[in-house]
C-alpha cells in the first residue's frame, strides 16, 4: 500500500491514546468525588479543582481528535486494501467488464458496511487509496498529527497531478528537508479550510499545466445553478472568473455596509442577498448613466480589488500567477486586464524578488496610513487569529502591543483582526506573538497552548528565460523594484 506504518504500529498508537484518555477519565472522577488523595492521587492543597477539570476537558478533546484521526487511518487502509484483495481474487483472464463489476461490488460492500451511499463509498475508496499511496500523509494521519479532513484535502488537491507532482506537493508540506518547505504552522495545526487554501495556492503555482490554460477551460465552464432548499428557501450560485466574483462580493458588501445604519433592522448577512436580488431583478436593467445595459455584457470589476503582481508578469515577460486578495492565485492575464481597465483600489505591492516577500513599511505615529493598512492586509491575507477565515474589508488593523504600553506603529507590531477576535483579544487572555515584516503573529491561549502563525508560502519571483537576478547590476535591481510601485 505504500504506507510505512504497519498495522501493529497504528494499533499501538490507538492503544496509547485510549490509555491516556482512560487516565484522564479516572483523574476527573477522583476530582469530582473529592477522593484524589485516597485513590493514590495527590491533589494538593493549592489545586484549583474547577480549573483542573476544565483543563482535563481540553486534554480529552485533544486526545479524542487524535484518536479519531488514528481510527480514520485504519479505516482508510482497510478500504484501500479491501479493493486490492478483491482485485487479487479476480481471475487474471477476467474481462474488463468483469473487473469493472468486481470493483463496483466491493464499493457496494463498503457502502453497506458503513451505511453510506454508493457515491460516498466510491469517494472514500478513491481518497483512501490516494492517501495510502503517499506515506508522509498516511503516517501523519495514523499518528494523529492531523485529521481525516486534512488528509482528504491532500487527496483532493493531488487529483489530476502526476505521481511526481503529487510527491513534490506532499514533500513541500510534510518534509522539513524539502526545498523551500512550507513555513509556520504544520498541516494539522491549521484549520482545514486554511490548509486547503495553502495547498491549493502551492498547487496552482507548480501545476505542470499553466494556470492560463486551465483558466480558459474554467471560463468556458462558467454557469449559474439553482438548488431548492427547505422552509421555502433556495440557493443561487454563480461559477465565475475569480476577479468578477470577488468584485461582486466586495461591492455587495460595501453597499450593505452603507445601508447598515442604526435604524436598519437587517444584518449585513441579510442585506447582501437583498441587494443582489434587487440588482438582478430591477436596477440591473440599466447602466449607471441610465442607458439600457448590453445583455450578457460583464463589466470590468471596479470594486475593491487588491492584487499582488510580480513585475515581470505585469510586463508580460512571464506568466507567473498573481495573487488576488480574498481568493488566491489568478492568471497573469487577468491581473494585467485589471490594470489596463483601471480597476479601482488596485495596489501593486513591492515584493522582494529574492523570496517573493513584501518589503517593510513603517510609521512613527499612532494613526495608520491607508498604505500601511493595505500592506498589513496583503501580508496577513485574513484575520490572523488561529482558524479564522474572515477576509472581508471589515477586518481591523490592530496594534499587537498597545500604543499606550509602548507599542510602535510599524508592520512588526500590527496585524489584521476581524471585529469578533479584536474584541476577544481585549477582553480575554488570548495573547498574540510579535509579528515581523513578512510574517503575521501566532497566538497563545489562556491555558498556555501556543498556535503557530499561518504563513503565506512566498517564493522567489519567476525571471524571464535568459535573465537571472545575478546578471543585473544594483542600479537595475532598484529600477525593477520601482517598476513595481
Amino acid at each position: 500500500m505504500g504506507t510505512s506504518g504497519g498495522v501493529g504500529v497504528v494499533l499501538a498508537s490507538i492503544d496509547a491514546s485510549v490509555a491516556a484518555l482512560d487516565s484522564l477519565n479516572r483523574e476527573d472522577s477522583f476530582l469530582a468525588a473529592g477522593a484524589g488523595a485516597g485513590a493514590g492521587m495527590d491533589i494538593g492543597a493549592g489545586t484549583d479543582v474547577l480549573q483542573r477539570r476544565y483543563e482535563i476537558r481540553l486534554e480529552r478533546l485533544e486526545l479524542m481528535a487524535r484518536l479519531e484521526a488514528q481510527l480514520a487511518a485504519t479505516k482508510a487502509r482497510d478500504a484501500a486494501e479491501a479493493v486490492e484483495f478483491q482485485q487479487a481474487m479476480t481471475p487474471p483472464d477476467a474481462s474488463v467488464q468483469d473487473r469493472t463489476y468486481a470493483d463496483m461490488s466491493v464499493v457496494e460492500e463498503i457502502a453497506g458496511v458503513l451505511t453510506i451511499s454508493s457515491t460516498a463509498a466510491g469517494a472514500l475508496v478513491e481518497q483512501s487509496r490516494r492517501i495510502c499511496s503517499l506515506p508522509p500523509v498516511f503516517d501523519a494521519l495514523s499518528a494523529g498529527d492531523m485529521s481525516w479532513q486534512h488528509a482528504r484535502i491532500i487527496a483532493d488537491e493531488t487529483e489530476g497531478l502526476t505521481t511526481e507532482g503529487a510527491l513534490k506537493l506532499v514533500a513541500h508540506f510534510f518534509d522539513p528537508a524539502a526545498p523551500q518547505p512550507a513555513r509556520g504552522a504544520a498541516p494539522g495545526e491549521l484549520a482545514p479550510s486554511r490548509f486547503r487554501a495553502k495547498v491549493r495556492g502551492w498547487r496552482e503555482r507548480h501545476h505542470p499545466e499553466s494556470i492560463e490554460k486551465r483558466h480558459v477551460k474554467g471560463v468556458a465552464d462558467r454557469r449559474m445553478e439553482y438548488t431548492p432548499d427547505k422552509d421555502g428557501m433556495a440557493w443561487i450560485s454563480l461559477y465565475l472568473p475569480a476577479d468578477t466574483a470577488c468584485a461582486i462580493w466586495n461591492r455587495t458588501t460595501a453597499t450593505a455596509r452603507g445601508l447598515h445604519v442604526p435604524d436598519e433592522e437587517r444584518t449585513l448577512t441579510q442585506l447582501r442577498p437583498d441587494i443582489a436580488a434587487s440588482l438582478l431583478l430591477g436596477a440591473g436593467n440599466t447602466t449607471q448613466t441610465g442607458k439600457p445595459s448590453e445583455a450578457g455584457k460583464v463589466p470590468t470589476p471596479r470594486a475593491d480589488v487588491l492584487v499582488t503582481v510580480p513585475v515581470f508578469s505585469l510586463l508580460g515577460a512571464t506568466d507567473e500567477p498573481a495573487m488576488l486578495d480574498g481568493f488566491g492565485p489568478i492568471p497573469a492575464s487577468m491581473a494585467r486586464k485589471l490594470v489596463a481597465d483601471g480597476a479601482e483600489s488596485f495596489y501593486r505591492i513591492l515584493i522582494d524578488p529574492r523570496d517573493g516577500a513584501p518589503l517593510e513599511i513603517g510609521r512613527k505615529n499612532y494613526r495608520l496610513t491607508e498604505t500601511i493598512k493595505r500592506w498589513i492586509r496583503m501580508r496577513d491575507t485574513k484575520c490572523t487569529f488561529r482558524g479564522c477565515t474572515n477576509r472581508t474589508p471589515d477586518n481591523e488593523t490592530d496594534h499587537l502591543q498597545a500604543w499606550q504600553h509602548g507599542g510602535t506603529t510599524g508592520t512588526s507590531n500590527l496585524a489584521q483582526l476581524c471585529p469578533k477576535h479584536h474584541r476577544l483579544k481585549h477582553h480575554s487572555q488570548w495573547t498574540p506573538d510579535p509579528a515581523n515584516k513578512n510574517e503575521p503573529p501566532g497566538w497563545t491561549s489562556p491555558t498556555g497552548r501556543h498556535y503557530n502563525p499561518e504563513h503565506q508560502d512566498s517564493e522567489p519571483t519567476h525571471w524571464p528565460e535568459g535573465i537571472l537576478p545575478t546578471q543585473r547590476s544594483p542600479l537595475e535591481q532598484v529600477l525593477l523594484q520601482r517598476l513595481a510601485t
Side-chain angles (χ1 to χ4, degrees), residues 37-372:
M41 300 181 65
D42 183 12
I43 296 179
T47 300
D48 186 331
V49 174
L50 287 179
Q51 177 67 25
R52 178 56 191 153
R53 296 192 71 195
Y54 166 68
E55 292 172 354
I56 286 174
R57 265 62 186 173
L58 297 180
E59 291 173 21
R60 286 198 308 210
L61 287 171
E62 285 182 313
L63 278 170
M64 285 186 281
R66 182 176 295 275
L67 186 58
E68 286 173 350
Q70 293 165 338
L71 290 172
T74 306
K75 183 177 176 182
R77 188 196 59 235
D78 284 350
E81 288 184 348
V83 175
E84 288 192 349
F85 289 143
Q86 176 63 61
Q87 292 174 343
M89 290 187 292
T90 304
D93 57 348
S95 66
V96 173
Q97 185 180 46
D98 288 342
R99 291 184 180 277
T100 299
Y101 281 115
D103 289 345
M104 289 176 60
S105 177
V106 71
V107 169
E108 293 296 345
E109 287 271 22
I110 292 172
V113 167
L114 298 179
T115 319
I116 57 178
S117 69
S118 301
T119 302
L124 172 65
V125 166
E126 288 305 311
Q127 291 164 348
S128 298
R129 298 184 75 179
R130 195 168 294 120
I131 289 166
C132 290
S133 71
L134 300 168
V137 180
F138 181 82
D139 290 348
L141 181 64
S142 60
D145 292 337
M146 68 177 186
S147 71
W148 170 251
Q149 288 176 283
H150 292 82
R152 192 174 63 186
I153 288 167
I154 294 293
D156 292 344
E157 297 299 329
T158 53
E159 185 177 3
L161 296 181
T162 62
T163 300
E164 181 183 7
L167 291 175
K168 285 183 178 179
L169 185 150
V170 169
H172 176 75
F173 289 99
F174 292 88
D175 183 3
Q180 296 180 331
R183 299 179 300 149
E189 296 174 348
L190 293 168
S193 61
R194 299 307 313 141
F195 181 54
R196 183 181 291 277
K198 291 194 74 172
V199 173
R200 182 163 294 171
W202 192 92
R203 180 183 186 274
E204 293 289 0
R205 289 180 60 88
H206 297 271
H207 198 286
E209 186 178 26
S210 74
I211 192 172
E212 295 284 352
K213 293 181 180 179
R214 288 177 284 127
H215 178 63
V216 169
K217 181 182 183 301
V219 171
D221 291 339
R222 65 190 183 279
R223 60 189 178 273
M224 174 186 282
E225 294 182 350
Y226 166 73
T227 307
D229 204 353
K230 59 183 180 295
D231 301 329
M233 304 297 288
W235 294 93
I236 289 287
S237 58
L238 302 173
Y239 183 61
L240 295 168
D243 59 338
T244 302
C246 186
I248 291 172
W249 174 261
N250 287 346
R251 175 174 285 182
T252 306
T253 299
T255 305
R257 277 203 305 270
L259 295 175
H260 198 228
V261 293
D263 58 349
E264 172 58 61
E265 296 181 355
R266 293 172 294 180
T267 65
L268 285 175
T269 301
Q270 293 169 333
L271 281 166
R272 286 190 186 98
D274 290 353
I275 292 165
S278 175
L279 291 172
L280 285 170
L281 296 175
N285 295 329
T286 60
T287 65
Q288 292 180 347
T289 62
K291 298 179 180 179
S293 60
E294 184 179 346
K297 177 68 173 178
V298 179
T300 298
R302 307 192 68 84
D304 185 14
V305 180
L306 280 73
V307 185
T308 299
V309 190
V311 63
F312 290 124
S313 287
L314 187 61
L315 297 175
T318 69
D319 284 328
E320 182 179 2
M323 296 295 293
L324 178 64
D325 181 38
F327 175 78
I330 60 172
S333 60
M334 182 184 291
R336 290 193 288 267
K337 180 175 181 289
L338 287 172
V339 179
D341 291 347
E344 297 173 1
S345 298
F346 175 85
Y347 301 100
R348 285 171 288 173
I349 307 300
L350 181 63
I351 60 174
D352 189 332
R354 296 167 300 180
D355 59 8
L359 299 175
E360 174 76 321
I361 300 175
R363 180 174 169 83
K364 295 181 179 179
N365 298 327
Y366 174 76
R367 188 175 298 278
L368 301 176
T369 65
E370 287 301 314
T371 299
I372 293 182

